[in-house]
Amino acid sequence: MKIWLNGKLVSREGAVVSVFDHGLLYGDGVFEGIRSYDGRVFKLDEHLERLENSAKAIMLDMPLKRDDMRKAVLDTLRANGLRNAYIRLVVTRGEGDLGLDPRKCKSGGTVIIITDKITLYPPEHYANGLEVVTVATRRNIPEAVSPKIKSLNYLNNILAKIEANNAGVLEAIMMSADGWVAECTGDNIFIVHKGALTTPPTHVGALEGITRNTVMQLAGKAGIPCAEALFTRYDIYSADECFLTGTAAEIIPVSKVDGRPIGNGNPGPLTLKLVESFHALTRSEGVPI
Ligand code: PMP
């Protein structure tokens, strides 16, 4: 396995960063998760744009410009001979000293690109749906660290994931501080009511998921109404269908929430239609490796 680290392709053992890196010491950095299908990187520029926007929001100068970043991703995939891959980009503030002041980081940032085989939810959940729970851990308020920033501060999500683990399920639905459904620990959420899709607006405290945006576009093309609107747990319990979206998860049907079957407890027709058109899209576009 070759890992891209600050301009060099190194072995897994050689891919080490300083203990004074502020990404490690303070979670001061940003990241992306991208996927390639059949030798093409899906939505590469959308992911690079989100990475740049996350970096801009925390006033982190991107060590690489867009074209160099794109090339580095493709080079790493080629070096690893990967066609179907999960790609993790990490950009940290770089090496500094103790003390959180970002001005201490003079190395110009740390850039890491890891490409690996994709790990998914077990296949039976795509066929039968995933059971999830809502959890007590609230999403960070946008006025503190905005959940729109894909930062290295994932402790909020990890706390919710621990609650999911404790409940014996694989994913958790998180609410905003005032009780609106926001998103999951690593996925966005959609519900279906009488043939129309709803997903929470990002201002409620959700990442602007690239899969989420793709699903909204696919719905538009298929003439399926889709709105960004606030909703509560009750609206999930009473939905006809529910599904989650994410780069790793793609579109995964939800069968049960907090013990309540969603619809008849099986993946619904609209979810399955979107899964099909999403699969077709991932196999028909992307930046060639
Ligand atoms: N929400 C969170 C908190 C995430 O970390 C992710 C990415 N894994 C998503 C939603 C889904 O975003 P995307 O579709 O861009 O992968």
Side-chain angles (χ1 to χ4, degrees):
M1 187 197 243
K2 292 279 178 224
I3 290 152
W4 199 97
L5 176 63
N6 295 328
K8 290 196 186 86
L9 283 164
V10 295
S11 66
R12 188 183 172 126
E13 295 70 35
V16 288
V17 296
S18 164
V19 294
F20 290 99
D21 193 294
H22 278 209
L24 171 69
L25 287 176
Y26 301 109
D28 189 354
V30 292
F31 78 103
E32 269 304 318
I34 317 177
R35 221 168 136 169
S36 73
Y37 294 89
D38 298 335
R40 278 192 292 221
V41 186
F42 189 61
K43 304 280 179 197
L44 178 56
D45 274 90
E46 285 82 348
H47 283 281
L48 294 178
E49 186 180 1
R50 189 170 66 187
L51 184 72
E52 289 162 6
N53 286 337
S54 292
K56 190 169 186 186
I58 66 164
M59 289 192 84
L60 168 58
D61 285 333
M62 281 290 287
L64 294 182
K65 296 281 161 266
R66 175 81 63 94
D67 286 350
D68 297 325
M69 203 65 180
R70 200 188 289 116
K71 185 175 177 305
V73 169
L74 298 173
D75 285 349
T76 312
L77 287 165
R78 280 186 215 120
N80 287 286
L82 286 167
R83 290 174 56 76
N84 291 288
Y86 183 80
I87 304 148
R88 169 60 48 89
L89 304 186
V90 183
V91 182
T92 81
R93 191 85 61 182
E95 188 176 345
D97 297 313
L98 296 180
L100 56 79
D101 190 338
R103 289 174 299 186
K104 290 176 185 291
C105 302
K106 304 212 186 304
S107 70
T110 301
V111 181
I112 301 164
I113 305 174
I114 306 169
T115 57
D116 204 353
K117 293 202 182 71
I118 180 90
T119 47
L120 298 170
Y121 288 120
E124 62 265 26
H125 296 308
Y126 288 89
N128 306 324
L130 185 71
E131 178 170 359
V132 299
V133 291
T134 60
V135 293
T137 303
R138 296 298 167 112
R139 201 69 183 96
N140 284 335
I141 59 166
E143 295 76 12
V145 179
S146 170
K148 286 185 87 167
I149 303 171
K150 202 164 166 59
S151 83
L152 297 182
N153 289 264
Y154 253 48
L155 202 48
N156 178 232
N157 312 52
I158 291 165
L159 290 174
K161 189 67 148 190
I162 290 168
E163 289 194 70
N165 293 345
N166 289 343
V169 300
L170 296 178
E171 183 54 295
I173 300 171
M174 303 175 77
M175 257 68 66
S176 66
D178 44 10
W180 300 108
V181 172
E183 63 174 336
C184 298
T185 68
D187 301 307
N188 290 109
I189 182 167
F190 285 78
I191 53 173
V192 179
H193 257 293
K194 300 193 192 321
L197 291 174
T198 311
T199 192
T202 55
H203 68 71
V204 78
L207 186 75
E208 190 171 343
I210 286 160
T211 320
R212 168 189 185 273
N213 288 352
T214 306
V215 164
M216 291 170 83
Q217 285 160 9
L218 289 172
K221 278 193 196 135
I224 303 164
C226 182
E228 291 180 88
L230 297 173
F231 60 87
T232 62
R233 293 197 300 177
Y234 169 83
D235 301 304
I236 309 179
Y237 300 155
S238 59
D240 302 323
E241 302 177 36
C242 174
F243 61 84
L244 312 181
T245 64
T247 295
E250 301 183 315
I251 300 174
I252 184 153
V254 172
S255 56
K256 226 182 220 185
V257 177
D258 297 337
R260 283 92 163 162
I262 303 302
N264 64 10
N266 293 313
L270 254 171
T271 305
L272 295 174
K273 188 175 172 172
L274 287 164
V275 166
E276 200 181 305
S277 50
F278 183 78
H279 281 166
L281 188 69
T282 57
R283 267 123 194 121
S284 67
E285 64 165 55
V287 178
I289 301 166

